[in-house]
Amino acid sequence: MRILITGGQGMLARTLASKLASLQQHVLATPARTELDITNAHQVSAYFARFQPEVVLHCAAFTKVDQCEDDPAIADAVNNHGSANVASACQQTGARLIAFSTDYVFDGKKDGPYSEFDKAGGAINVYGRSKWAGECAIRLNCPNHVIARVSWLYGPGGPSFVHTMLKLHEKGMPRLRVVNDQKGNPTSTLAVADAVCELLARPDIKGTIHLTCEGETTWYDFAKAIFAEAGLKQEVDPVSSAEYVTKARRPANSCLAKTRLGMAGLSPMPKWQDALAAFLKQELPVLQQK
């Protein structure tokens, strides 16, 4: 297949490109923002006309959650209008669209994990609202779509929470303060890439699907697991969201259930602990060489 991956320099896009290139079955295009600015509808149409993708993996996004609070117009331009431009181009050219969204489209008030059938749209920060608007634009402009929600992503090269924790340890920080009242599903981009390969082989699957790793934890327990798996001694103190104030509010619960994954007969996502172990086994030697 001819596959276009938007946001080609991002962490998820890089992992997807690496995985798909290793299969040696596809023709890939992974343009950076300087080559494909999704906020420019004319540029998007022209790029589609040149490359003629059969499938688009839409990874391009403004994902700096706190910065979105300062630049809501940019968040909306990229995450909402940019997604609309990509979706419209897919509809016009007949390309299948697989777009990536976020757990932050939910308000975090539910007791259990959110399924694909739960009502979204109650985001409590600018990032989540802009991504929800992008989801709506995709549904409106391109019926042949999959919206894959992911969360707490980490992957080769970063940036991610995992990389931040390891860097702070390397700097010799004696104690780290990490929030312990927000829970979610830490998810490896390597696991997402495996799931996407299955989606590519299933053109019958459409709509919204959750692709987060199985199991839930807090940022605090996630941090402790990172250091334990890496074999590092690091003191970590749990704090509340009220004690660790950020510009953007985060949902207390952003856990996602993989209901449609099972319904579609796709492989289950790995447990987050197993995915973390597999990732660190690959990534730690790379980081140690730098």
Side-chain angles (χ1 to χ4, degrees), residues 193-204:
D194 288 341
V196 168
C197 287
E198 288 197 38
L199 284 175
L200 290 174
R202 291 285 304 276
D204 58 303

Side-chain angles (χ1 to χ4, degrees), residues 24-259:
Q24 299 182 336
Q25 298 173 343
H26 309 292
V27 178
L28 303 177
T30 59
R33 186 176 63 177
T34 52
E35 303 168 86
L36 176 59
D37 179 359
I38 63 169
T39 66
N40 185 321
H42 295 294
Q43 192 176 124
V44 171
S45 295
Y47 198 98
F48 272 64
R50 287 196 305 273
F51 183 67
Q52 299 182 345
E54 298 170 81
V55 177
V56 176
L57 303 180
H58 179 39
C59 300
F62 185 25
T63 60
K64 296 179 179 179
V65 179
D66 289 321
Q67 196 172 328
C68 284
E69 299 293 316
D70 293 327
D71 298 305
I74 296 176
D76 189 61
V78 177
N79 297 338
N80 177 16
H81 296 293
S83 294
N85 291 336
V86 171
S88 295
C90 285
Q91 176 66 3
Q92 291 166 8
T93 59
R96 184 188 187 199
L97 174 58
I98 300 177
F100 296 92
S101 190
T102 174
D103 52 329
Y104 281 13
V105 298
F106 294 106
D107 61 16
K109 295 179 181 179
K110 186 179 178 181
D111 288 336
Y114 290 93
S115 83
E116 296 90 340
F117 302 101
D118 282 316
K119 183 180 179 181
I124 61 174
N125 55 47
V126 171
Y127 171 67
R129 288 193 290 272
S130 68
K131 289 295 287 183
W132 172 248
E135 285 194 15
C136 294
I138 288 167
R139 295 185 182 99
L140 179 66
N141 289 286
C142 182
N144 187 14
H145 72 262
V146 173
I147 294 173
R149 293 188 183 129
V150 295
S151 74
W152 294 26
L153 278 185
Y154 61 89
S160 74
F161 180 78
V162 175
H163 292 84
T164 297
M165 291 296 103
L166 294 174
K167 287 177 183 176
L168 290 174
H169 173 81
E170 186 179 348
K171 289 181 179 178
M173 298 288 287
R175 307 188 74 88
L176 301 178
R177 301 168 69 248
V178 182
V179 171
N180 196 34
D181 58 2
Q182 297 170 17
K183 61 182 179 179
N185 313 120
T187 300
S188 166
T189 58
L190 300 172
V192 174
D194 288 341
V196 168
C197 287
E198 288 197 38
L199 284 175
L200 290 174
R202 291 285 304 276
D204 58 303
I205 295 176
K206 296 180 176 64
T208 305
I209 194 164
H210 292 167
L211 296 183
T212 57
C213 286
E214 288 290 353
E216 62 185 51
T217 191
T218 66
W219 290 111
Y220 167 70
D221 286 321
F222 185 27
K224 290 201 300 180
I226 292 166
F227 295 122
E229 191 63 46
L232 301 173
K233 292 184 178 180
Q234 174 67 55
E235 295 295 328
V236 184
D237 296 326
V239 297
S240 68
S241 299
E243 295 174 274
Y244 194 87
V245 180
T246 56
K247 282 191 175 181
R249 292 170 59 207
R250 268 73 167 175
N253 169 32
S254 62
C255 301
L256 301 181
K258 273 62 67 176
T259 307

